[in-house]
């Protein structure tokens, strides 16, 4: 299993809100996206120590500078 490459190391999925795992909100700043206005970071496959493997779908804001500002707050 090879994870999809991204520019940044994604936060641990266990720390994600459900909305972030589903690609409805930014993985960095938790902003909810207007439809279509986000960057797909690629499908991620997680294999937990216990339980079944699953997929999640990280997305980030199109405006990465504003995103970084929000995430730092
Ligand atoms: Zn963001």
């Amino acid at each position: 299993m090879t994870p999809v490459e991204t520019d940044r190391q994604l936060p641990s999925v266990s720390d994600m809100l459900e909305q972030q795992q589903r690609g409805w909100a930014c993985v960095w700043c938790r902003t909810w996206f207007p439809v279509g206005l986000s960057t797909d970071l690629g499908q991620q496959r997680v294999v937990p120590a216990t339980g079944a493997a699953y997929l999640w779908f990280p997305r980030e804001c199109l405006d990465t500078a504003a995103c970084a500002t929000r995430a730092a707050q």
Side-chain angles (χ1 to χ4, degrees):
M1 184 214 47
T2 303
V4 175
E5 294 292 332
T6 59
D7 292 341
R8 298 162 77 180
Q9 181 68 45
L10 290 166
S12 172
V13 69
S14 61
D15 295 332
M16 292 281 157
L17 302 173
E18 181 187 2
Q19 291 87 341
Q20 291 172 297
Q21 295 182 26
R22 292 178 181 276
W24 298 340
C26 178
V27 294
W28 310 116
C29 68
R30 299 188 175 184
T31 293
W32 283 74
F33 300 126
V35 172
L37 295 181
S38 59
T39 302
D40 190 349
L41 295 175
Q43 174 180 288
Q44 304 289 313
R45 186 164 184 268
V46 179
V47 183
T50 58
Y54 60 97
L55 299 175
W56 68 290
F57 306 90
R59 301 186 76 90
E60 68 178 5
C61 304
L62 292 180
D63 187 342
T64 53
C67 176
T69 299
R70 283 192 294 270
Q73 288 173 350

